[in-house]
Amino acid sequence: MATQERPFDLLNKAIGRQVMIRLKNGIDIRGKVTSFDAHMNIVLDSAEEVDDGNLKSKLGTILLRGGNILFISPA
Amino acid sequence: MATQERPFDLLNKAIGRQVMIRLKNGIDIRGKVTSFDAHMNIVLDSAEEVDDGNLKSKLGTILLRGGNILFISPA
Amino acid sequence: MATQERPFDLLNKAIGRQVMIRLKNGIDIRGKVTSFDAHMNIVLDSAEEVDDGNLKSKLGTILLRGGNILFISPA
Amino acid sequence: MATQERPFDLLNKAIGRQVMIRLKNGIDIRGKVTSFDAHMNIVLDSAEEVDDGNLKSKLGTILLRGGNILFISPA
Amino acid sequence: MATQERPFDLLNKAIGRQVMIRLKNGIDIRGKVTSFDAHMNIVLDSAEEVDDGNLKSKLGTILLRGGNILFISPA
Amino acid sequence: MATQERPFDLLNKAIGRQVMIRLKNGIDIRGKVTSFDAHMNIVLDSAEEVDDGNLKSKLGTILLRGGNILFISPA
Amino acid sequence: MATQERPFDLLNKAIGRQVMIRLKNGIDIRGKVTSFDAHMNIVLDSAEEVDDGNLKSKLGTILLRGGNILFISPA
């Protein structure tokens, strides 16, 4: 591709930092990125399900399958 | 294929510019393209969810998974 | 395969011409084909969303992901 | 596979002939096969959407994406 | 894999014989297997749509896309 | 991967034995495993559709497409 | 990818330990990981379906297809 920067650079920079992930099913997950792979599978520490910005439930460490992701946003 | 210009050329020209992206779930996202890859994963700066052209929520920088996209339009 | 003509020939001939595209979600998009690729990703100029043949909204230039397409018809 | 005849032979024999195609979304399309490829993408001439065997709308020539097909039947 | 017999052997033995195919959408199709391929695309002769074991409609010869199949049962 | 035992070992051990398979659509199928392949396509003998543990209908021998499976459990 | 740790490391460390798996269909499964593969197919021992943290049904040993998983969390 013709871009020098690439989408996964955003994930690289997010290692050790907080992100907000919107899933395809409309659920928002917040947490600190520990690792990711080429399928966008992501491990989050201190993950939380949030609803309109409010904490809904604490999930702890999770491995999220990339295929469920709509978008990822650095917090 | 037999065309000289190719669909991804549109994304190349959109780098640094505003686009409107309609998602499969009917949501419209507006933002400035920073990078993209062959899966149409796209990083948008100053992304916003819009509803009938009106701002619904500010998303900041997002990495959007290409598989969720219906179409992309330069603003 | 055993056919000499192939489905993508229809898209080749459609370059620079008007097509009507029915999407899987039932929406009809009309526009002039600028380019396409092997995934049936298509760039349309002067694209319009139409409803029962009537203009619903103008979309301008769009890059449509092939996976959303039900069928394409030269106008 | 152990069969000598193969499913795509049915499509080969259908070139230049009328078929009825049932789509996954329940819609029936009738038309004359012009070409097809290994993804079961099919070009139909004089295509028509039919409902319980009755003409619902004329579609003209269409390129139908194979992934939408439930089954194809020679008319 | 560690099995000597393999699932497609069932289809091989079904050539020229009656099968019942349940589709993902809940519809049952009955017919005589003529050919199949590695995607489980299957050609059936004298195919019929059945509802609770009763004939609903005669489909004749059909090429059924494998991706729509839930299971296949020799009649 | 770093595990010595692998998920398909469970299927290997299930050959000739009874399993319960929950499908993505919520249906439970019970039967004796005859063979399987790398796509998790499975042939079951004396297959039965069960509802809350009660027999709903006898299916006989079936070839089940792996893509429909939620989980498999040795009975 | 640029991370040294990788998502599947979480699964490796989970071998022999309890995890909670949320499925795409909203169901939660709890169990002890025995093995997994690159598709995230996972074998769980003493698996249980849980609803809001309460036991709903005992599933015993199951082979869960990876494609159904939303996320996995070490208990």
Side-chain angles (χ1 to χ4, degrees):
Chain A
M1 293 292 110
T3 53
Q4 288 166 292
E5 205 163 337
R6 289 153 53 101
F8 276 81
D9 295 343
L10 183 141
L11 277 172
N12 252 326
K13 291 179 200 153
I15 297 280
R17 302 181 65 176
Q18 193 83 358
V19 295
M20 197 283 284
I21 298 181
R22 179 155 304 164
L23 302 180
K24 287 181 181 175
N25 65 8
I27 289 177
D28 285 345
I29 306 272
R30 214 163 39 191
K32 200 177 74 177
V33 179
T34 302
S35 67
F36 66 91
D37 65 21
H39 300 286
M40 243 186 247
N41 298 320
I42 298 181
V43 174
L44 296 176
D45 269 354
S46 309
E48 300 173 336
E49 192 179 334
V50 291
D51 190 4
D52 256 315
N54 300 314
L55 174 64
K56 199 172 144 191
S57 72
K58 298 197 177 224
L59 304 170
T61 298
I62 63 169
L63 161 51
L64 180 65
R65 273 181 72 94
N68 301 293
I69 295 174
L70 187 57
F71 61 76
I72 304 165
S73 175
Chain B
M1 292 294 109
T3 53
Q4 287 166 291
E5 205 164 336
R6 288 153 55 100
F8 276 81
D9 295 342
L10 182 142
L11 277 172
N12 253 324
K13 291 179 200 153
I15 297 281
R17 302 180 66 175
Q18 194 84 356
V19 294
M20 197 282 284
I21 298 181
R22 179 154 305 163
L23 303 180
K24 286 181 181 176
N25 65 7
I27 290 177
D28 285 345
I29 306 272
R30 213 162 40 190
K32 202 177 73 177
V33 179
T34 302
S35 67
F36 66 91
D37 65 20
H39 301 286
M40 243 185 249
N41 298 320
I42 298 181
V43 174
L44 295 177
D45 269 354
S46 309
E48 298 174 337
E49 192 179 334
V50 291
D51 190 5
D52 256 314
N54 300 314
L55 174 64
K56 198 172 146 193
S57 72
K58 298 197 177 224
L59 304 170
T61 297
I62 63 169
L63 162 50
L64 179 66
R65 273 180 73 93
N68 301 293
I69 295 174
L70 186 57
F71 61 76
I72 304 166
S73 175
Chain C
M1 293 294 109
T3 53
Q4 288 167 290
E5 204 164 336
R6 288 152 56 99
F8 276 81
D9 294 342
L10 182 142
L11 278 172
N12 252 325
K13 291 179 200 153
I15 296 281
R17 302 180 65 175
Q18 194 84 357
V19 295
M20 198 282 284
I21 298 180
R22 179 154 305 165
L23 302 180
K24 286 180 180 176
N25 64 7
I27 290 177
D28 285 346
I29 306 273
R30 212 162 41 191
K32 201 177 75 177
V33 179
T34 302
S35 66
F36 66 91
D37 64 21
H39 301 286
M40 243 186 249
N41 297 320
I42 299 181
V43 175
L44 296 177
D45 269 354
S46 309
E48 298 173 336
E49 191 179 335
V50 291
D51 190 5
D52 255 314
N54 300 314
L55 174 64
K56 197 171 147 193
S57 72
K58 298 197 176 223
L59 305 170
T61 298
I62 64 169
L63 162 49
L64 179 66
R65 274 181 71 95
N68 302 293
I69 295 174
L70 187 57
F71 61 77
I72 304 166
S73 175
Chain D
M1 294 293 109
T3 52
Q4 288 167 289
E5 204 164 337
R6 289 153 54 101
F8 276 81
D9 294 342
L10 181 141
L11 277 172
N12 252 325
K13 291 178 201 153
I15 297 280
R17 302 179 66 176
Q18 194 83 358
V19 295
M20 198 284 283
I21 298 180
R22 180 154 303 165
L23 303 180
K24 286 180 181 176
N25 65 8
I27 290 176
D28 285 346
I29 306 273
R30 211 162 42 191
K32 200 177 75 179
V33 179
T34 302
S35 67
F36 66 90
D37 65 21
H39 301 286
M40 243 185 249
N41 297 319
I42 299 181
V43 174
L44 296 177
D45 268 354
S46 309
E48 298 173 337
E49 190 179 335
V50 290
D51 189 6
D52 256 314
N54 300 314
L55 173 64
K56 197 171 149 194
S57 72
K58 298 197 176 222
L59 305 169
T61 298
I62 63 169
L63 162 50
L64 179 66
R65 274 181 70 94
N68 301 293
I69 294 174
L70 187 58
F71 62 76
I72 304 167
S73 175
Chain E
M1 294 292 109
T3 52
Q4 288 167 290
E5 204 164 337
R6 289 153 54 101
F8 276 81
D9 295 343
L10 181 141
L11 277 173
N12 252 325
K13 291 179 201 152
I15 296 280
R17 302 179 64 177
Q18 193 85 355
V19 295
M20 198 283 285
I21 298 180
R22 180 155 303 164
L23 303 180
K24 288 180 181 177
N25 65 8
I27 289 176
D28 286 346
I29 306 272
R30 211 161 42 190
K32 201 177 74 179
V33 179
T34 303
S35 66
F36 65 91
D37 64 22
H39 301 286
M40 243 184 249
N41 297 321
I42 299 182
V43 174
L44 296 176
D45 268 354
S46 309
E48 298 173 335
E49 191 179 334
V50 290
D51 190 6
D52 256 314
N54 300 314
L55 174 64
K56 198 172 147 193
S57 72
K58 298 198 175 222
L59 305 170
T61 298
I62 64 169
L63 161 50
L64 180 65
R65 275 181 71 94
N68 301 294
I69 294 174
L70 187 58
F71 62 75
I72 303 166
S73 175
Chain F
M1 294 293 109
T3 52
Q4 288 166 291
E5 204 164 338
R6 290 153 53 101
F8 276 82
D9 294 343
L10 182 141
L11 277 172
N12 252 325
K13 291 179 202 154
I15 297 279
R17 303 180 64 177
Q18 193 85 354
V19 296
M20 198 281 285
I21 298 180
R22 179 155 304 164
L23 302 180
K24 287 180 180 175
N25 65 8
I27 289 176
D28 286 346
I29 306 272
R30 213 161 40 189
K32 200 177 75 177
V33 179
T34 302
S35 66
F36 65 91
D37 64 22
H39 301 286
M40 243 184 249
N41 297 320
I42 298 180
V43 174
L44 296 176
D45 268 354
S46 309
E48 299 174 335
E49 192 179 333
V50 290
D51 190 5
D52 256 314
N54 301 315
L55 173 64
K56 199 172 145 192
S57 71
K58 299 198 175 225
L59 304 170
T61 298
I62 63 169
L63 161 51
L64 179 66
R65 273 181 72 93
N68 301 294
I69 295 174
L70 186 58
F71 62 75
I72 303 166
S73 174
Chain G
M1 293 294 109
T3 53
Q4 288 166 292
E5 204 163 338
R6 290 152 54 102
F8 277 81
D9 294 343
L10 183 141
L11 278 172
N12 252 326
K13 292 178 201 154
I15 296 280
R17 302 182 63 178
Q18 193 84 356
V19 295
M20 197 282 285
I21 298 180
R22 179 156 305 164
L23 303 180
K24 287 181 180 174
N25 65 8
I27 290 176
D28 286 344
I29 306 273
R30 214 163 37 192
K32 200 176 74 175
V33 179
T34 302
S35 67
F36 66 90
D37 64 21
H39 301 286
M40 244 185 247
N41 297 320
I42 298 180
V43 174
L44 296 176
D45 268 354
S46 309
E48 299 174 335
E49 192 179 334
V50 291
D51 190 5
D52 256 314
N54 300 314
L55 173 64
K56 200 172 143 190
S57 71
K58 299 197 175 223
L59 304 170
T61 298
I62 63 169
L63 161 50
L64 179 65
R65 273 180 72 94
N68 301 294
I69 295 174
L70 186 58
F71 61 76
I72 304 165
S73 174

